[in-house]
Amino acid sequence: MLRLLSRVIASIQTDRNLKASAVCRSLCSTAPLPGSACPGFTVRPRMEPKLYRCPPEVRGMTSLDKEVFTQTVTVPALRVPTGVLNKVVKSLKKSTIQRPGLPRVVPDKENSDFRLVLLDPRRVSSPSSFSEAEAEALRSFSVAEELHEYKMQLTYDNLKSEEVLEAVLPQGQDVTSGFSRVGHIAHMNLRDHQLPFKKLIGQVIMDKNPGVTCVVNKTNMIDSTYRNFKMEVMAGEEDMVAKVKENGVTYEFDFSRVYWNPRLSTEHQRVVQLAKRGDTVFDVFAGVGPFAVPAARSGANVWANDLNPESHRWLQHNCKLNKVERKVKTFNMDGRAFIQGPVKQELPALLKGTASVHVVMNLPALALDFLDAFRGLLPQEPPSDENLPTVHCYGFSKDDNPETDVVNRASHSLGFPLENRCSVHFVRNVAPNKDMMCVSFTLPKEVLFSSDHEQTVPSTEPAPKRQKCEDST
């Protein structure tokens, strides 16, 4: 009985030893540590799912010290024969390390016939982490699924902008790394708690985005007659003349003195495509020409106006730059005066033709209020209403139903109901609970030719209010 019990105990001990040996082999590395329990075994430091953890001393830094961010980290690696290296890297593209300035493949110091493919520790922590397709590819290329350790140095240059800013800014508060790109200028909207770090934020954005040589912050308020944003330089050279390309058209302008929004490129293209060769476009608030210039390039005859002398100057410059100056007549007038002057003069002849007429009114904070300028604009009604102008008017809305809101406001300004006689297009969300909309409609002949409507509204654009910057374009 005792002999039988001894055999059972011995069998159990042998089974435990075999399992321990298997575990040891699975953890073995090519470089054994002195005193390790089995040949080739390396005790693995725990590899964090998050590759990089910034040292605590960077928290609250306001002057950038790049050296403080340097750390040594351990990442998993696969030993791959050079003959199948490219195929293996392609098969593991979702699991390899992806870091700015870091190679995915490094030399194997022990064998020149092999290379080490570095893996992302967030995705790969053991051989079982590979997907079925990845594991099958490794088997087909005769690559052992054994993971090795590779120690590497991560520096500031290998970090992403959001990682740096997350480490520096106070914990629990928003981290801003997003910006609008306008040529060589990065344009940010910092919050109050981020302002003490603005110089550092600007430097990080410039470092991490090739081609950005100037970073600016838009201040909270606008108080200019021409509604261009107040801004301050956070980092880089104070060169505000930007050159951008949008939908195949090149524009140049002084970003500090005119309005430009790169998020409107899709909307510019949508409306411009509505105008065909030979059509006429009246651009009431033309800015530097994002509607006017491409419309002229497509063959339309354009009348473009802007109250801001700087916008008008760059509008003329961009017409010449894109060789459409003969197709665009430019004006530096108040929007209402432009409608009741040049537009009024040209419309009678255009209504008798066959080409379409478009009126673009892109000043979302105020444009809906300018629609009353069309009341009784022309004295005599034409024999047909087939060629009445199409108006594209923009507006902001904070209403729960923004479509209904902009239609009601446009109807009120026109003095004529537009319900079921217009279309409304959502352009973009400007801020929480605030949308930019475009209402398009054929200008009713009851408005355009009615003598009952009196034009008693002020003849100039109203003096600006100290409103939030999103309220103006």
Side-chain angles (χ1 to χ4, degrees), residues 38 46 71 79 141 147 177 263 286 302 320 322 423 451:
C38 67
R46 186 166 66 94
Q71 282 189 9
R79 174 169 283 154
F141 298 131
L147 296 184
S177 60
R263 297 185 179 93
V302 181
K320 293 178 181 178
N322 291 277
S423 63
S451 59

Coordinates of all heavy atoms in Angstrom, one line a residue, residues 38 46 71 79 141 147 177 263 286 302 320 322 423 451:
C38 N 16.5 27.8 -15.6 CA 16.8 26.9 -16.7 C 17.6 27.6 -17.7 O 17.6 28.8 -17.8 CB 15.4 26.4 -17.2 SG 14.5 27.6 -18.0
R46 N 7.2 42.9 -16.3 CA 5.9 43.1 -16.9 C 5.8 44.2 -17.9 O 6.2 45.3 -17.6 CB 4.9 43.3 -15.7 CG 3.5 43.3 -16.1 CD 2.6 43.3 -14.9 NE 2.7 44.5 -14.1 CZ 1.9 45.6 -14.3 NH1 0.9 45.5 -15.2 NH2 2.0 46.6 -13.5
Q71 N 12.8 57.7 -21.9 CA 12.6 56.5 -21.1 C 13.1 55.3 -21.9 O 13.0 55.3 -23.1 CB 11.2 56.3 -20.6 CG 10.7 57.2 -19.5 CD 9.4 56.8 -19.0 OE1 8.8 55.8 -19.4 NE2 8.8 57.6 -18.1
R79 N 11.6 36.9 -33.8 CA 12.9 36.7 -34.6 C 12.4 36.1 -36.0 O 11.8 35.1 -36.0 CB 13.8 35.8 -33.9 CG 15.0 35.4 -34.7 CD 16.0 34.7 -33.8 NE 16.7 35.6 -33.0 CZ 17.3 35.3 -31.8 NH1 17.2 34.1 -31.3 NH2 18.0 36.3 -31.2
F141 N 5.4 30.7 -43.0 CA 6.7 31.2 -43.2 C 7.8 30.6 -42.3 O 8.9 31.0 -42.3 CB 6.8 32.8 -43.1 CG 5.9 33.5 -44.0 CD1 5.0 34.5 -43.5 CD2 5.9 33.2 -45.4 CE1 4.2 35.2 -44.4 CE2 5.0 33.9 -46.2 CZ 4.2 34.9 -45.8
L147 N 8.1 34.8 -28.4 CA 8.3 36.2 -28.2 C 9.6 36.5 -27.4 O 9.9 35.8 -26.5 CB 7.1 36.9 -27.4 CG 5.7 36.8 -28.0 CD1 4.7 37.6 -27.2 CD2 5.8 37.4 -29.4
S177 N -5.3 68.8 -28.5 CA -4.3 68.7 -29.5 C -4.8 68.9 -30.9 O -4.0 68.8 -31.9 CB -3.6 67.3 -29.4 OG -4.6 66.3 -29.6
R263 N -12.9 74.0 -42.8 CA -14.0 73.0 -42.6 C -15.2 73.2 -43.6 O -16.1 72.4 -43.6 CB -14.5 73.0 -41.2 CG -13.5 72.7 -40.1 CD -14.1 72.6 -38.7 NE -13.1 72.2 -37.7 CZ -12.4 73.0 -37.0 NH1 -12.6 74.3 -37.2 NH2 -11.6 72.6 -36.1
A286 N -18.5 87.7 -50.0 CA -17.6 86.8 -50.8 C -16.3 86.4 -50.0 O -15.7 85.4 -50.4 CB -17.2 87.5 -52.1
V302 N -19.4 86.0 -62.4 CA -19.5 86.2 -61.0 C -19.4 87.7 -60.6 O -18.6 88.4 -61.2 CB -18.4 85.4 -60.2 CG1 -18.5 85.6 -58.7 CG2 -18.5 84.0 -60.6
K320 N -6.8 87.0 -59.8 CA -5.6 87.0 -60.7 C -4.8 85.8 -60.6 O -4.3 85.3 -61.6 CB -4.8 88.3 -60.4 CG -5.5 89.6 -60.7 CD -4.7 90.8 -60.3 CE -5.4 92.1 -60.6 NZ -4.6 93.3 -60.2
N322 N -5.7 82.8 -60.0 CA -6.3 81.7 -60.6 C -6.8 82.1 -62.0 O -7.5 81.3 -62.6 CB -7.5 81.2 -59.8 CG -7.0 80.6 -58.5 OD1 -6.7 79.4 -58.5 ND2 -7.1 81.3 -57.4
S423 N -35.5 74.2 -49.6 CA -34.7 73.1 -49.1 C -33.7 73.6 -48.1 O -33.2 74.7 -48.2 CB -34.0 72.3 -50.2 OG -33.0 73.1 -50.8
S451 N -44.8 95.9 -54.8 CA -44.6 97.3 -54.4 C -45.1 97.5 -53.0 O -44.9 98.6 -52.5 CB -45.4 98.2 -55.4 OG -46.8 97.9 -55.4

